[in-house]
Amino acid sequence: MHPSSSPSPLPTLALIGAMASLCLGTSFAKTLFPAVGAQGTTAYRITVGALILLAIWRPWRFPLTRSQARTVVLYGTTLACLNLCFYMALRTLPLGVAIAIEFTGPLTLALVLSRRVLDFIWIALAAAGLLLLMPSGVSAHQLDPTGLAYAAAAGVFWALYIIFGQRAGSLHGGQATALGMTVAALITLPIGVAHAGAALFDPSLILAGLVVGVLSSALPYSLEMVALKGLTKKTFGVLLSLEPAMGAVAGVIVLGEHLAVPQWLAIGAIVAASAGCAATARRRMPPAPAPAKTD
């Protein structure tokens, strides 16, 4: 048997690590909202991450074709919009609700790309878990419509991020992530400065922003690029169903939030769907000597 016939666990492990880092970073990031707002926190997250990745990867060493540059711009733009919309949603929505609504984007993408009955079983299990994860006692009438709209928009941009991220994943090493984050920083930093003003440059807040940038951007997006190179969009999308579960666990550990029995059942359902998807996913075909693949 050819050695490459056994899929490497590295892409899956990289995605799990990315989600764990992202959940911890998001829990900490929300504490900055009173000082610099969702816009300023997004600017911290993206700009700090971009500076770190630029220093590590030095992406200017490798020239880009016009097509690659266009892909990086699209990747960076969706990255900026995804982060900004999600943090704007967190201003008025509980974290679990915002993540659950946001996840409808990659879940829909996984559904569109599915062809086997087994795929739909895992997706249905993940969807059931997401519904259970909604906090008890929170009805649609109690949720802020603006927050819901921002969370839904974040879901759309998350699906686009998966698509453009895979296209950008054909670039050298961390070049795509570094350049994409730089594009995103050029979009979000002016918005953050316009909202937070001088507070954004407070030394103590900058230190907190550094932590947010590392945990929420530099580390997870680098790991996600590793995952995007080795997973199909469908598998990537369903495996991301682990993120709401990880967010709930992070809430227990970091914030001392209480989870009811239905929420723990939801975590079990989501983890089962993710594990099932990873175990039954078809192997990727060997890459052809053609332009960047999008699947």
Side-chain angles (χ1 to χ4, degrees):
M1 181 177 293
H2 194 279
S4 63
S5 61
S6 298
S8 169
L10 181 60
T12 299
L13 293 175
L15 184 55
I16 292 173
M19 290 185 288
S21 179
L22 194 59
C23 288
L24 288 175
T26 301
S27 299
F28 181 69
K30 196 168 182 178
T31 65
L32 298 180
F33 281 14
V36 295
Q39 300 92 327
T41 305
T42 303
Y44 274 147
R45 173 180 180 173
I46 296 295
T47 304
V48 170
L51 292 174
I52 292 174
L53 291 173
L54 285 173
I56 293 174
W57 294 107
R58 292 175 292 167
W60 52 84
R61 295 176 298 165
F62 309 102
L64 295 176
T65 65
R66 181 174 298 182
S67 174
Q68 289 172 329
R70 183 168 54 250
T71 298
V72 166
V73 170
L74 289 172
Y75 169 60
T77 301
T78 56
L79 195 57
C81 295
L82 164 59
N83 282 273
L84 185 58
C85 288
F86 180 65
Y87 274 24
M88 292 294 284
L90 285 182
R91 295 180 306 167
T92 56
L93 294 182
L95 179 59
V97 174
I99 293 178
I101 295 172
E102 181 194 31
F103 184 71
T104 58
L107 188 63
T108 300
L109 180 62
L111 181 62
V112 169
L113 295 171
S114 295
R115 294 295 181 269
R116 298 179 300 167
V117 173
L118 190 58
D119 295 332
F120 289 93
I121 292 175
W122 300 131
I123 293 170
L125 187 58
L130 290 169
L131 289 175
L132 286 172
L133 197 59
M134 297 287 283
S136 57
V138 177
S139 69
H141 299 291
Q142 294 173 299
L143 297 176
D144 173 53
T146 302
L148 292 173
Y150 275 120
V156 173
F157 287 117
W158 197 352
L160 292 174
Y161 163 77
I162 295 173
I163 295 172
F164 294 130
Q166 274 204 316
R167 293 180 183 177
S170 63
L171 273 64
H172 182 279
Q175 182 186 27
T177 311
L179 292 178
M181 288 287 287
T182 301
V183 171
L186 293 174
I187 295 172
T188 57
L189 183 58
I191 297 174
V193 172
H195 176 81
L200 204 64
F201 303 99
D202 183 286
S204 62
L205 292 177
I206 290 177
L207 181 60
L210 179 63
V211 175
V212 170
V214 172
L215 290 178
S216 299
S217 291
L219 181 58
Y221 287 126
S222 293
L223 291 173
E224 281 189 3
M225 287 309 299
V226 175
L228 284 165
K229 285 185 176 183
L231 299 174
T232 64
K233 289 192 289 290
K234 174 183 70 67
T235 303
F236 187 94
V238 178
L239 281 174
L240 280 174
S241 61
L242 275 172
E243 186 164 327
M246 286 186 172
V249 173
V252 173
I253 298 174
V254 179
L255 305 175
E257 296 176 344
H258 173 71
L259 289 179
V261 173
Q263 275 81 61
W264 284 116
L265 292 174
I267 291 174
I270 293 170
V271 170
S274 297
C277 178
T280 61
R282 290 172 175 166
R283 289 195 303 270
R284 290 174 61 93
M285 296 298 292
K293 297 175 75 67
T294 59
D295 56 7

